[in-house]
Each structure stands twice: as structure tokens, then as C-alpha cells.
Amino acid sequence: AALAAHPDFAKRDLRAIRSGNLYAVLPPGRRPADPALRAAGLGMTETLGPHTMANLDEDLPERLRSSFGRAVPGAEHKLIDPLTGARVAPGEVGEICVRGPFLMHGLVKRERAETFDADGYYHTGDSGFFDAEGHLFFRGRLGELIKTGGANVTPREVESVLEAQPEIAAAHVVGVAHAERGENVAAVIVLRDGAALSPAALRERLRGELAAYKLPRHIIVSPASALPMTASGKLDRRALRAELERRIAAGESESA
């Protein structure tokens, strides 16, 4: 996103870039019309790359929108309840566990039993589910789950609905502390150039798309440049949560 937003972007010769899934930096003629209909791969450093993947050059059917492909050759998965360790039923959301020949051997100065379970699976800390055909649907990091009034909310689910709005370029959802509910759902949205959308109008629009407990109770409009980022260029969710809690306490957010 930073590359695409750079003032020199339009002057750069990108003809050598033939494919990829960083669509913002692909030449306009090679960007898909609807990026959510192109599969993403899910992976991590510990798996030395993606452990699920699909063809990046073909549009998916609507039923597979925002899916993450199938297991790569050699990969085995199981989904478990992160609290009990029991396997969850097919189609239910659980923690994604993976094993295969591409996994790391272990972590330095850590016993193998601290990293892998008795069956050799690595517990990724990611949540999601597989459909009947083996397509993975990623739901987010378990540590990012928002617990509000006894219900769990996956930030990515709410972010996807927000980012589907034509005025919104990016959305980031976190939980902010609340004395009674434990946490409230809060969102920071970045509008597209020239777009206008009030938090009240957005919340009203979302009522038909999200359950009441998933609706952001706090919505703040922010420029992308004001978002806290880590040294590696990722959103710093801890810093964002702290900043939102400060602004909410100061009455700077439009709240429901």
C-alpha cells in the first residue's frame, strides 16, 4: 500500500511484474476486478511458506470468496477447540494445526513438546475452518479475538464487511476495554480519496450485515499515515488499541 501511494508510483516501469497477489503494485491491467475472488495462501515462518494455496491467476466462484486455498502437497491439518484441545466438527471454526515435511524442526532452547503436540502437529494460533471440499477460510489470530458480553468476535470478519463498503480503503478492528462487557468492538477506517462517510451512516448500513454484538460501538475515521505501525510495516494492534482507548476516554470517537 505504501508503494502504491508513493508519488513516484505512476512513473515506474512495472512491465516486468507478471503476477502476484500484492494487487496494489501490479500494473492496472493485471489487477483482478475483485481481489476477494482470488485465493490467498496461508502460511507462516514456522511452515517455511504457505501450507494452503490455490491458483492465484483465476477467479474463484462466489461461494469461495475470501478463501485461502487447499492444503499444499504433504500438509496435514486438524482443527481443535483451543481451550480443550478436542477436534471440532467439520465446518466449525477452530485453531488450525498443521504438520508435514516442511515444518521447522523446533524452536531454539525450547523442548519439542512445548512446540508440537504428541501427534506432531504445530498449533499455529490461527483460527478458521475447512469446507466440505477442503477449502480453508481464515478467521484471524486467536489472540486478536474480541470478547464482548460473553460472545467472541473475529476482527477480520468485521474488517471484511467494512472494507466491502465502496468508500472505505482499509479498516482495522480491535477490542477496547469496557467495565461491563469486558471489551467493545472498535473500528478505525481509512476512506478512499474524495470519499465521505460518517460513522453514524456507516453503522446504520452495517446493521443489515452484522449481528448486533459485532457492530463496532466506536468508529474513528483516520488517515492511513496516522496508524501505528511496527518496524516490519505491520499494523501495531496493541498501540492502536491503546490509542483508541485514550481517544474514547477523551470523547473523541463517535460511539453507539
Side-chain angles (χ1 to χ4, degrees):
L3 288 171
H6 194 279
D8 287 345
F9 180 75
K11 306 174 186 176
R12 300 294 177 172
D13 183 355
L14 302 177
R15 288 175 294 177
I17 302 177
R18 297 190 299 273
S19 63
N21 63 347
L22 296 177
Y23 301 124
V25 300
L26 285 176
R30 298 191 180 276
R31 299 174 193 170
D34 189 343
L37 290 181
R38 295 290 177 94
L42 187 63
M44 58 202 321
T45 302
E46 292 87 342
T47 59
L48 303 182
H51 52 85
T52 66
M53 180 58 77
N55 188 338
L56 298 177
D57 298 324
E58 297 178 358
D59 284 347
L60 298 167
E62 184 63 34
R63 62 185 174 81
L64 296 180
R65 174 180 289 274
S66 300
S67 60
F68 280 72
R70 299 180 180 181
V72 302
E76 297 179 74
H77 295 91
K78 69 176 179 179
L79 270 69
I80 64 168
D81 182 318
L83 297 179
T84 67
R87 291 191 184 232
V88 301
E92 291 187 5
V93 174
E95 181 179 9
I96 302 167
C97 303
V98 59
R99 67 181 179 185
F102 46 79
L103 270 174
M104 62 178 181
H105 292 296
L107 294 174
V108 175
K109 298 181 181 180
R110 297 275 295 275
E111 295 294 329
R112 183 175 175 82
E114 296 179 63
T115 308
F116 299 93
D117 66 21
D119 296 320
Y121 283 93
Y122 177 68
H123 295 215
T124 66
D126 292 332
S127 67
F129 69 93
F130 286 92
D131 70 7
E133 298 175 340
H135 298 279
L136 176 65
F137 289 81
F138 173 68
R139 284 294 179 260
R141 295 289 296 168
L142 287 171
E144 296 172 359
L145 279 178
I146 301 169
K147 299 182 179 181
T148 178
N152 291 335
V153 177
T154 303
R156 189 60 205 150
E157 179 184 358
V158 181
E159 289 169 352
S160 296
V161 174
L162 289 168
E163 290 171 354
Q165 309 307 313
E167 301 92 345
I168 296 178
H172 305 288
V173 173
V174 296
V176 293
H178 187 271
E180 296 177 2
R181 285 185 290 271
E183 290 181 304
N184 275 336
V185 180
V188 174
I189 60 172
V190 178
L191 296 179
R192 299 187 184 279
D193 290 344
L197 181 63
S198 72
L202 173 60
R203 190 178 292 109
E204 189 61 32
R205 189 186 300 176
L206 296 178
R207 292 188 191 281
E209 301 186 50
L210 289 170
Y213 69 91
K214 297 179 182 179
L215 277 173
R217 290 180 175 268
H218 307 281
I219 298 176
I220 290 178
V221 180
S222 170
S225 59
L227 297 175
M229 308 298 285
T230 65
S232 61
K234 296 181 179 180
L235 179 74
D236 188 334
R237 288 185 176 270
R238 289 185 180 180
L240 181 63
R241 173 181 170 129
E243 175 63 12
L244 284 178
E245 289 179 340
R246 183 194 68 77
R247 295 183 65 175
I248 290 167
E252 297 178 23
S253 77
E254 185 168 326
S255 306

mmCIF file with all atom_site columns, all heavy atoms in Angstrom, residues 234-250:
data_model
loop_
_atom_site.group_PDB
_atom_site.id
_atom_site.type_symbol
_atom_site.label_atom_id
_atom_site.label_alt_id
_atom_site.label_comp_id
_atom_site.label_asym_id
_atom_site.label_entity_id
_atom_site.label_seq_id
_atom_site.pdbx_PDB_ins_code
_atom_site.Cartn_x
_atom_site.Cartn_y
_atom_site.Cartn_z
_atom_site.occupancy
_atom_site.B_iso_or_equiv
_atom_site.pdbx_formal_charge
_atom_site.auth_seq_id
_atom_site.auth_comp_id
_atom_site.auth_asym_id
_atom_site.auth_atom_id
_atom_site.pdbx_PDB_model_num
ATOM 1   N N   . LYS A 1 234 ? 3.880   -3.719  9.706  1.00 0.00 ? 234 LYS A N   1
ATOM 2   C CA  . LYS A 1 234 ? 2.555   -4.247  10.007 1.00 0.00 ? 234 LYS A CA  1
ATOM 3   C C   . LYS A 1 234 ? 1.844   -3.334  11.002 1.00 0.00 ? 234 LYS A C   1
ATOM 4   O O   . LYS A 1 234 ? 2.484   -2.596  11.757 1.00 0.00 ? 234 LYS A O   1
ATOM 5   C CB  . LYS A 1 234 ? 2.655   -5.663  10.585 1.00 0.00 ? 234 LYS A CB  1
ATOM 6   C CG  . LYS A 1 234 ? 3.223   -6.687  9.610  1.00 0.00 ? 234 LYS A CG  1
ATOM 7   C CD  . LYS A 1 234 ? 3.261   -8.063  10.254 1.00 0.00 ? 234 LYS A CD  1
ATOM 8   C CE  . LYS A 1 234 ? 3.801   -9.099  9.288  1.00 0.00 ? 234 LYS A CE  1
ATOM 9   N NZ  . LYS A 1 234 ? 3.851   -10.459 9.908  1.00 0.00 ? 234 LYS A NZ  1
ATOM 10  N N   . LEU A 1 235 ? 0.526   -3.407  11.002 1.00 0.00 ? 235 LEU A N   1
ATOM 11  C CA  . LEU A 1 235 ? -0.235  -2.620  11.965 1.00 0.00 ? 235 LEU A CA  1
ATOM 12  C C   . LEU A 1 235 ? 0.104   -3.069  13.383 1.00 0.00 ? 235 LEU A C   1
ATOM 13  O O   . LEU A 1 235 ? 0.113   -4.263  13.688 1.00 0.00 ? 235 LEU A O   1
ATOM 14  C CB  . LEU A 1 235 ? -1.733  -2.800  11.713 1.00 0.00 ? 235 LEU A CB  1
ATOM 15  C CG  . LEU A 1 235 ? -2.649  -2.031  12.672 1.00 0.00 ? 235 LEU A CG  1
ATOM 16  C CD1 . LEU A 1 235 ? -2.637  -0.558  12.351 1.00 0.00 ? 235 LEU A CD1 1
ATOM 17  C CD2 . LEU A 1 235 ? -4.070  -2.587  12.618 1.00 0.00 ? 235 LEU A CD2 1
ATOM 18  N N   . ASP A 1 236 ? 0.375   -2.105  14.244 1.00 0.00 ? 236 ASP A N   1
ATOM 19  C CA  . ASP A 1 236 ? 0.643   -2.395  15.655 1.00 0.00 ? 236 ASP A CA  1
ATOM 20  C C   . ASP A 1 236 ? -0.690  -2.368  16.392 1.00 0.00 ? 236 ASP A C   1
ATOM 21  O O   . ASP A 1 236 ? -1.169  -1.307  16.799 1.00 0.00 ? 236 ASP A O   1
ATOM 22  C CB  . ASP A 1 236 ? 1.613   -1.362  16.221 1.00 0.00 ? 236 ASP A CB  1
ATOM 23  C CG  . ASP A 1 236 ? 2.094   -1.701  17.626 1.00 0.00 ? 236 ASP A CG  1
ATOM 24  O OD1 . ASP A 1 236 ? 1.354   -2.408  18.347 1.00 0.00 ? 236 ASP A OD1 1
ATOM 25  O OD2 . ASP A 1 236 ? 3.184   -1.257  18.007 1.00 0.00 ? 236 ASP A OD2 1
ATOM 26  N N   . ARG A 1 237 ? -1.302  -3.542  16.558 1.00 0.00 ? 237 ARG A N   1
ATOM 27  C CA  . ARG A 1 237 ? -2.643  -3.600  17.144 1.00 0.00 ? 237 ARG A CA  1
ATOM 28  C C   . ARG A 1 237 ? -2.652  -3.196  18.612 1.00 0.00 ? 237 ARG A C   1
ATOM 29  O O   . ARG A 1 237 ? -3.618  -2.616  19.097 1.00 0.00 ? 237 ARG A O   1
ATOM 30  C CB  . ARG A 1 237 ? -3.240  -5.004  16.964 1.00 0.00 ? 237 ARG A CB  1
ATOM 31  C CG  . ARG A 1 237 ? -3.643  -5.290  15.522 1.00 0.00 ? 237 ARG A CG  1
ATOM 32  C CD  . ARG A 1 237 ? -4.345  -6.626  15.380 1.00 0.00 ? 237 ARG A CD  1
ATOM 33  N NE  . ARG A 1 237 ? -4.799  -6.830  14.019 1.00 0.00 ? 237 ARG A NE  1
ATOM 34  C CZ  . ARG A 1 237 ? -5.985  -6.458  13.560 1.00 0.00 ? 237 ARG A CZ  1
ATOM 35  N NH1 . ARG A 1 237 ? -6.848  -5.867  14.362 1.00 0.00 ? 237 ARG A NH1 1
ATOM 36  N NH2 . ARG A 1 237 ? -6.324  -6.676  12.302 1.00 0.00 ? 237 ARG A NH2 1
ATOM 37  N N   . ARG A 1 238 ? -1.597  -3.500  19.330 1.00 0.00 ? 238 ARG A N   1
ATOM 38  C CA  . ARG A 1 238 ? -1.548  -3.098  20.741 1.00 0.00 ? 238 ARG A CA  1
ATOM 39  C C   . ARG A 1 238 ? -1.528  -1.578  20.858 1.00 0.00 ? 238 ARG A C   1
ATOM 40  O O   . ARG A 1 238 ? -2.240  -0.994  21.680 1.00 0.00 ? 238 ARG A O   1
ATOM 41  C CB  . ARG A 1 238 ? -0.322  -3.708  21.416 1.00 0.00 ? 238 ARG A CB  1
ATOM 42  C CG  . ARG A 1 238 ? -0.416  -5.219  21.624 1.00 0.00 ? 238 ARG A CG  1
ATOM 43  C CD  . ARG A 1 238 ? 0.767   -5.723  22.408 1.00 0.00 ? 238 ARG A CD  1
ATOM 44  N NE  . ARG A 1 238 ? 0.702   -7.171  22.632 1.00 0.00 ? 238 ARG A NE  1
ATOM 45  C CZ  . ARG A 1 238 ? 1.608   -7.869  23.289 1.00 0.00 ? 238 ARG A CZ  1
ATOM 46  N NH1 . ARG A 1 238 ? 2.662   -7.250  23.829 1.00 0.00 ? 238 ARG A NH1 1
ATOM 47  N NH2 . ARG A 1 238 ? 1.472   -9.172  23.440 1.00 0.00 ? 238 ARG A NH2 1
ATOM 48  N N   . ALA A 1 239 ? -0.704  -0.953  20.044 1.00 0.00 ? 239 ALA A N   1
ATOM 49  C CA  . ALA A 1 239 ? -0.629  0.510   20.076 1.00 0.00 ? 239 ALA A CA  1
ATOM 50  C C   . ALA A 1 239 ? -1.943  1.122   19.607 1.00 0.00 ? 239 ALA A C   1
ATOM 51  O O   . ALA A 1 239 ? -2.387  2.141   20.149 1.00 0.00 ? 239 ALA A O   1
ATOM 52  C CB  . ALA A 1 239 ? 0.533   0.983   19.210 1.00 0.00 ? 239 ALA A CB  1
ATOM 53  N N   . LEU A 1 240 ? -2.575  0.490   18.608 1.00 0.00 ? 240 LEU A N   1
ATOM 54  C CA  . LEU A 1 240 ? -3.842  1.014   18.126 1.00 0.00 ? 240 LEU A CA  1
ATOM 55  C C   . LEU A 1 240 ? -4.906  0.921   19.211 1.00 0.00 ? 240 LEU A C   1
ATOM 56  O O   . LEU A 1 240 ? -5.676  1.865   19.420 1.00 0.00 ? 240 LEU A O   1
ATOM 57  C CB  . LEU A 1 240 ? -4.297  0.243   16.890 1.00 0.00 ? 240 LEU A CB  1
ATOM 58  C CG  . LEU A 1 240 ? -5.617  0.714   16.264 1.00 0.00 ? 240 LEU A CG  1
ATOM 59  C CD1 . LEU A 1 240 ? -5.491  2.144   15.762 1.00 0.00 ? 240 LEU A CD1 1
ATOM 60  C CD2 . LEU A 1 240 ? -6.038  -0.220  15.133 1.00 0.00 ? 240 LEU A CD2 1
ATOM 61  N N   . ARG A 1 241 ? -4.946  -0.203  19.910 1.00 0.00 ? 241 ARG A N   1
ATOM 62  C CA  . ARG A 1 241 ? -5.918  -0.351  20.995 1.00 0.00 ? 241 ARG A CA  1
ATOM 63  C C   . ARG A 1 241 ? -5.704  0.719   22.059 1.00 0.00 ? 241 ARG A C   1
ATOM 64  O O   . ARG A 1 241 ? -6.659  1.354   22.522 1.00 0.00 ? 241 ARG A O   1
ATOM 65  C CB  . ARG A 1 241 ? -5.807  -1.745  21.616 1.00 0.00 ? 241 ARG A CB  1
ATOM 66  C CG  . ARG A 1 241 ? -6.667  -1.923  22.862 1.00 0.00 ? 241 ARG A CG  1
ATOM 67  C CD  . ARG A 1 241 ? -6.496  -3.311  23.457 1.00 0.00 ? 241 ARG A CD  1
ATOM 68  N NE  . ARG A 1 241 ? -7.139  -3.389  24.771 1.00 0.00 ? 241 ARG A NE  1
ATOM 69  C CZ  . ARG A 1 241 ? -7.989  -4.334  25.130 1.00 0.00 ? 241 ARG A CZ  1
ATOM 70  N NH1 . ARG A 1 241 ? -8.340  -5.269  24.287 1.00 0.00 ? 241 ARG A NH1 1
ATOM 71  N NH2 . ARG A 1 241 ? -8.503  -4.333  26.343 1.00 0.00 ? 241 ARG A NH2 1
ATOM 72  N N   . ALA A 1 242 ? -4.449  0.930   22.462 1.00 0.00 ? 242 ALA A N   1
ATOM 73  C CA  . ALA A 1 242 ? -4.151  1.938   23.484 1.00 0.00 ? 242 ALA A CA  1
ATOM 74  C C   . ALA A 1 242 ? -4.563  3.335   23.030 1.00 0.00 ? 242 ALA A C   1
ATOM 75  O O   . ALA A 1 242 ? -5.126  4.117   23.811 1.00 0.00 ? 242 ALA A O   1
ATOM 76  C CB  . ALA A 1 242 ? -2.662  1.899   23.825 1.00 0.00 ? 242 ALA A CB  1
ATOM 77  N N   . GLU A 1 243 ? -4.288  3.645   21.758 1.00 0.00 ? 243 GLU A N   1
ATOM 78  C CA  . GLU A 1 243 ? -4.643  4.953   21.236 1.00 0.00 ? 243 GLU A CA  1
ATOM 79  C C   . GLU A 1 243 ? -6.164  5.122   21.179 1.00 0.00 ? 243 GLU A C   1
ATOM 80  O O   . GLU A 1 243 ? -6.697  6.189   21.519 1.00 0.00 ? 243 GLU A O   1
ATOM 81  C CB  . GLU A 1 243 ? -4.040  5.136   19.842 1.00 0.00 ? 243 GLU A CB  1
ATOM 82  C CG  . GLU A 1 243 ? -4.442  6.420   19.132 1.00 0.00 ? 243 GLU A CG  1
ATOM 83  C CD  . GLU A 1 243 ? -3.979  7.689   19.838 1.00 0.00 ? 243 GLU A CD  1
ATOM 84  O OE1 . GLU A 1 243 ? -3.150  7.598   20.775 1.00 0.00 ? 243 GLU A OE1 1
ATOM 85  O OE2 . GLU A 1 243 ? -4.458  8.778   19.463 1.00 0.00 ? 243 GLU A OE2 1
ATOM 86  N N   . LEU A 1 244 ? -6.887  4.082   20.769 1.00 0.00 ? 244 LEU A N   1
ATOM 87  C CA  . LEU A 1 244 ? -8.344  4.157   20.719 1.00 0.00 ? 244 LEU A CA  1
ATOM 88  C C   . LEU A 1 244 ? -8.940  4.340   22.113 1.00 0.00 ? 244 LEU A C   1
ATOM 89  O O   . LEU A 1 244 ? -9.864  5.131   22.309 1.00 0.00 ? 244 LEU A O   1
ATOM 90  C CB  . LEU A 1 244 ? -8.917  2.912   20.061 1.00 0.00 ? 244 LEU A CB  1
ATOM 91  C CG  . LEU A 1 244 ? -8.785  2.828   18.536 1.00 0.00 ? 244 LEU A CG  1
ATOM 92  C CD1 . LEU A 1 244 ? -9.350  1.512   18.028 1.00 0.00 ? 244 LEU A CD1 1
ATOM 93  C CD2 . LEU A 1 244 ? -9.489  3.995   17.871 1.00 0.00 ? 244 LEU A CD2 1
ATOM 94  N N   . GLU A 1 245 ? -8.422  3.602   23.081 1.00 0.00 ? 245 GLU A N   1
ATOM 95  C CA  . GLU A 1 245 ? -8.934  3.731   24.439 1.00 0.00 ? 245 GLU A CA  1
ATOM 96  C C   . GLU A 1 245 ? -8.704  5.146   24.964 1.00 0.00 ? 245 GLU A C   1
ATOM 97  O O   . GLU A 1 245 ? -9.566  5.700   25.659 1.00 0.00 ? 245 GLU A O   1
ATOM 98  C CB  . GLU A 1 245 ? -8.275  2.690   25.345 1.00 0.00 ? 245 GLU A CB  1
ATOM 99  C CG  . GLU A 1 245 ? -8.749  1.268   25.056 1.00 0.00 ? 245 GLU A CG  1
ATOM 100 C CD  . GLU A 1 245 ? -8.090  0.220   25.927 1.00 0.00 ? 245 GLU A CD  1
ATOM 101 O OE1 . GLU A 1 245 ? -7.010  0.505   26.479 1.00 0.00 ? 245 GLU A OE1 1
ATOM 102 O OE2 . GLU A 1 245 ? -8.639  -0.887  26.039 1.00 0.00 ? 245 GLU A OE2 1
ATOM 103 N N   . ARG A 1 246 ? -7.554  5.731   24.617 1.00 0.00 ? 246 ARG A N   1
ATOM 104 C CA  . ARG A 1 246 ? -7.296  7.112   25.035 1.00 0.00 ? 246 ARG A CA  1
ATOM 105 C C   . ARG A 1 246 ? -8.291  8.074   24.396 1.00 0.00 ? 246 ARG A C   1
ATOM 106 O O   . ARG A 1 246 ? -8.864  8.940   25.068 1.00 0.00 ? 246 ARG A O   1
ATOM 107 C CB  . ARG A 1 246 ? -5.862  7.509   24.654 1.00 0.00 ? 246 ARG A CB  1
ATOM 108 C CG  . ARG A 1 246 ? -5.481  8.917   25.114 1.00 0.00 ? 246 ARG A CG  1
ATOM 109 C CD  . ARG A 1 246 ? -4.214  9.400   24.440 1.00 0.00 ? 246 ARG A CD  1
ATOM 110 N NE  . ARG A 1 246 ? -4.409  9.627   23.004 1.00 0.00 ? 246 ARG A NE  1
ATOM 111 C CZ  . ARG A 1 246 ? -5.024  10.686  22.501 1.00 0.00 ? 246 ARG A CZ  1
ATOM 112 N NH1 . ARG A 1 246 ? -5.539  11.620  23.297 1.00 0.00 ? 246 ARG A NH1 1
ATOM 113 N NH2 . ARG A 1 246 ? -5.154  10.823  21.199 1.00 0.00 ? 246 ARG A NH2 1
ATOM 114 N N   . ARG A 1 247 ? -8.527  7.908   23.093 1.00 0.00 ? 247 ARG A N   1
ATOM 115 C CA  . ARG A 1 247 ? -9.419  8.821   22.379 1.00 0.00 ? 247 ARG A CA  1
ATOM 116 C C   . ARG A 1 247 ? -10.872 8.632   22.797 1.00 0.00 ? 247 ARG A C   1
ATOM 117 O O   . ARG A 1 247 ? -11.636 9.596   22.868 1.00 0.00 ? 247 ARG A O   1
ATOM 118 C CB  . ARG A 1 247 ? -9.258  8.610   20.860 1.00 0.00 ? 247 ARG A CB  1
ATOM 119 C CG  . ARG A 1 247 ? -7.864  8.999   20.369 1.00 0.00 ? 247 ARG A CG  1
ATOM 120 C CD  . ARG A 1 247 ? -7.737  8.849   18.866 1.00 0.00 ? 247 ARG A CD  1
ATOM 121 N NE  . ARG A 1 247 ? -8.601  9.781   18.146 1.00 0.00 ? 247 ARG A NE  1
ATOM 122 C CZ  . ARG A 1 247 ? -8.597  9.915   16.831 1.00 0.00 ? 247 ARG A CZ  1
ATOM 123 N NH1 . ARG A 1 247 ? -7.778  9.185   16.088 1.00 0.00 ? 247 ARG A NH1 1
ATOM 124 N NH2 . ARG A 1 247 ? -9.412  10.767  16.246 1.00 0.00 ? 247 ARG A NH2 1
ATOM 125 N N   . ILE A 1 248 ? -11.242 7.391   23.084 1.00 0.00 ? 248 ILE A N   1
ATOM 126 C CA  . ILE A 1 248 ? -12.618 7.141   23.546 1.00 0.00 ? 248 ILE A CA  1
ATOM 127 C C   . ILE A 1 248 ? -12.825 7.783   24.910 1.00 0.00 ? 248 ILE A C   1
ATOM 128 O O   . ILE A 1 248 ? -13.865 8.406   25.178 1.00 0.00 ? 248 ILE A O   1
ATOM 129 C CB  . ILE A 1 248 ? -12.884 5.621   23.595 1.00 0.00 ? 248 ILE A CB  1
ATOM 130 C CG1 . ILE A 1 248 ? -12.950 5.066   22.158 1.00 0.00 ? 248 ILE A CG1 1
ATOM 131 C CG2 . ILE A 1 248 ? -14.186 5.318   24.333 1.00 0.00 ? 248 ILE A CG2 1
ATOM 132 C CD1 . ILE A 1 248 ? -12.885 3.555   22.089 1.00 0.00 ? 248 ILE A CD1 1
ATOM 133 N N   . ALA A 1 249 ? -11.861 7.622   25.800 1.00 0.00 ? 249 ALA A N   1
ATOM 134 C CA  . ALA A 1 249 ? -11.970 8.233   27.126 1.00 0.00 ? 249 ALA A CA  1
ATOM 135 C C   . ALA A 1 249 ? -12.029 9.750   27.035 1.00 0.00 ? 249 ALA A C   1
ATOM 136 O O   . ALA A 1 249 ? -12.687 10.401  27.869 1.00 0.00 ? 249 ALA A O   1
ATOM 137 C CB  . ALA A 1 249 ? -10.775 7.808   27.979 1.00 0.00 ? 249 ALA A CB  1
ATOM 138 N N   . ALA A 1 250 ? -11.390 10.314  26.012 1.00 0.00 ? 250 ALA A N   1
ATOM 139 C CA  . ALA A 1 250 ? -11.386 11.763  25.839 1.00 0.00 ? 250 ALA A CA  1
ATOM 140 C C   . ALA A 1 250 ? -12.606 12.245  25.051 1.00 0.00 ? 250 ALA A C   1
ATOM 141 O O   . ALA A 1 250 ? -12.747 13.446  24.797 1.00 0.00 ? 250 ALA A O   1
ATOM 142 C CB  . ALA A 1 250 ? -10.114 12.196  25.131 1.00 0.00 ? 250 ALA A CB  1
#
